[in-house]
Amino acid sequence: GPHSGIGEFDATPAPISAVSASRLTAEHRVLESGGCVVRPGFVHGPGDRWFVPGFIRILETLGAWVNEGRSRISAIAVTDLARLLATLAAQATAHSGAVFHACHPDPVTVRELGRALVDSGRLRLQADSLTFDDAVTAGTRRGLTERHLDLIGRDHWYDPTRLLTATGATFGHGPLDNLPA
């Protein structure tokens, strides 16, 4: 990142972790085999052990927002992702070789996500804010990596237009409306 509203082919892949590198390798193999690649945004809902718990841990460990929580992220409820995947599976041959971003069309700010978690009683609202560079300095002293801070301090939102057009899907709610309490 930062990634701000990019489409599926707007950025040159440059994995910075082993997980990212393995995902890119998997994408290539799927496409070479005539499959379809779906890149979900941050997934929340029942069974989420990574996104919301990780977000809470990073914010609570840092003890502050990064840049007032203005960074935007792409999120999707697991139920919406399942619906989109089922639609694609039913049309499998029509999307051979396609790559899609799967997320709600409206990105949310880190502060909006934080506010939803405060409202659900899962997070205490942070009062302080740091610049990204100051957050890296403070966070490193508290055991956070720059990658952790990148997730809450830089844009990570994507354009799902191709997927929504291909599936005819719409969202009748906001990206955080299905955030579990």
Side-chain angles (χ1 to χ4, degrees):
H3 296 152
S4 302
I6 66 172
E8 290 80 357
F9 306 105
D10 292 343
T12 302
I16 61 170
S17 70
V19 170
S20 294
S22 69
R23 287 178 182 159
L24 184 58
T25 298
E27 282 191 12
H28 290 300
R29 289 188 179 157
V30 166
L31 293 173
E32 289 167 2
S33 299
C36 170
V37 170
V38 178
R39 299 174 181 156
F42 292 109
V43 182
H44 63 84
D48 173 15
R49 297 181 331 205
W50 303 106
F51 172 50
V52 170
F55 179 89
I56 291 169
R57 185 182 75 75
I58 293 167
L59 265 180
E60 287 180 344
T61 301
L62 183 61
W65 299 104
V66 178
N67 296 322
E68 304 293 333
R70 288 189 300 263
S71 297
R72 292 179 288 177
I73 58 176
S74 286
I76 188 165
V78 69
T79 52
D80 290 330
L81 179 58
R83 180 174 48 90
L84 290 168
L85 291 173
T87 301
L88 282 174
Q91 309 167 344
T93 57
H95 302 297
S96 176
V99 177
F100 297 111
H101 287 313
C103 53
H104 193 282
D106 300 322
V108 297
T109 66
V110 166
R111 187 168 289 264
E112 289 169 329
L113 174 56
R115 169 63 59 201
L117 293 169
V118 166
D119 291 347
S120 72
R122 297 176 69 191
L123 176 69
R124 208 178 94 243
L125 187 62
Q126 309 298 312
D128 296 330
S129 181
L130 301 170
T131 65
F132 185 80
D133 290 340
D134 289 342
V136 169
T137 300
T140 301
R141 285 190 297 240
R142 295 179 180 133
L144 297 172
T145 66
E146 186 170 341
R147 178 72 179 137
H148 290 127
L149 299 162
D150 180 75
L151 293 173
I152 66 164
R154 291 192 174 130
D155 282 352
H156 291 278
W157 64 281
Y158 305 90
D159 180 0
T161 301
R162 291 184 72 245
L163 177 60
L164 300 180
T165 300
T167 61
T170 59
F171 291 84
H173 53 78
L176 299 178
D177 288 352
N178 294 324
L179 193 69

